[in-house]
Amino acid sequence: MVTTSNATGRLRAHWAAVAPRGPASEACLDALLVRYAEPHRRYHGISHVDRVVSDVVVLLGDAAVADAGAVRMSAFFHDAVYDPRSASNEVDSANLAARELAVLGWSEQRIGQVERLIMLTRDHPPSTGDEPGGDVLLHADLAVLGAPANVYQAYASGVRGEYSHVAECDWRVGRAAVLQHFLDQPHIYRTRTMARHEPRARANLSAELAELRSP
């Protein structure tokens, strides 16, 4: 079982590997951890960002990425702003990353890379293989789709809890559209490590979709 303290410890270690040292850097990470601990985050909390950051580190071994640090930093910030009632979470997260990384002394070029990667998580476009850094971040973010059925079901329940303000009929329609978006893609995963989880991801998505569409 993953505890919050274990996840936080791993995140601090990953942060130290990619961020500059000093009080400003520590304050930035502390503020991020407070955000990810917000009570309305039933899925997109500390455990989620811990898994995404950790998976990004693994998946970077599959890809020829020019700036691995930017990909790792995008994982830290990709859900930094998360309000299920908002349509601007990714934009707001990218803007927050830009402000914080400027304070930490990152160049405009690297900050722009982080912003661009975060924005990819808005629509999770189909992978073309032309954007290895984007593939790494998106596949890490979507790794739960290819998890064992019980883990996937816990994820689906958590997301439903975050959207408890949405009526059941509207939820079924909206959620079904999201699932179909992934099933319609020729590849959910293209990275070597994640490709073997493609059948399980499609089985999980199809099972949930069938349940959503049942009377």
Side-chain angles (χ1 to χ4, degrees):
M1 179 178 179
V2 177
T3 65
T4 299
S5 60
N6 288 340
T8 299
R10 278 191 297 272
L11 286 168
R12 291 192 181 281
H14 285 307
W15 182 266
V18 72
R21 296 184 179 183
S25 182
E26 293 176 7
C28 178
L29 177 59
D30 287 343
L32 273 177
L33 294 175
V34 169
R35 286 179 176 276
Y36 282 109
E38 292 167 339
H40 66 272
R41 294 175 183 255
R42 300 286 296 278
Y43 171 72
H44 292 89
I46 293 287
S47 294
H48 170 64
V49 71
D50 169 43
R51 285 192 296 267
V52 173
V53 170
S54 296
D55 285 346
V56 158
V57 172
V58 173
L59 295 179
L60 281 169
D62 291 346
V65 175
D67 188 348
V71 182
R72 293 174 72 169
M73 192 60 81
S74 69
F76 272 100
F77 279 96
H78 80 287
D79 280 328
V81 179
Y82 186 74
D83 177 358
R85 297 175 185 267
S86 172
S88 64
N89 288 319
E90 292 81 11
V91 172
D92 294 339
S93 294
N95 289 341
L96 176 67
R99 293 194 301 271
E100 294 295 332
L101 293 177
V103 171
L104 299 186
W106 278 45
S107 69
E108 289 186 9
Q109 180 180 3
R110 297 191 80 199
I111 290 172
Q113 174 76 342
V114 171
E115 290 179 288
R116 187 179 60 77
L117 289 168
I118 292 171
M119 290 306 299
L120 289 176
T121 67
R122 178 173 53 182
D123 300 315
H124 284 88
S127 172
T128 63
D130 296 330
E131 177 52 81
D135 284 349
V136 166
L137 177 62
L138 295 183
H139 296 177
D141 194 25
L142 298 176
V144 69
L145 302 185
N150 64 314
V151 176
Y152 179 90
Q153 289 163 4
Y155 142 74
S157 296
V159 174
R160 180 65 181 108
E162 291 174 342
Y163 284 83
S164 59
H165 59 281
V166 177
E168 182 65 19
C169 58
D170 294 331
W171 168 258
R172 285 174 176 258
V173 172
R175 178 67 175 172
V178 171
L179 303 185
Q180 193 65 59
H181 164 74
F182 292 120
L183 287 170
D184 287 344
Q185 295 183 9
H187 302 281
I188 297 173
Y189 306 125
R190 291 186 67 101
T191 49
R192 183 179 68 251
T193 298
M194 290 304 303
R196 66 178 181 267
H197 298 288
E198 180 98 8
R200 168 51 58 191
R202 291 189 178 276
N204 285 333
L205 291 166
S206 297
E208 186 185 358
L209 186 60
E211 184 177 349
L212 289 168
R213 290 175 172 171
S214 65

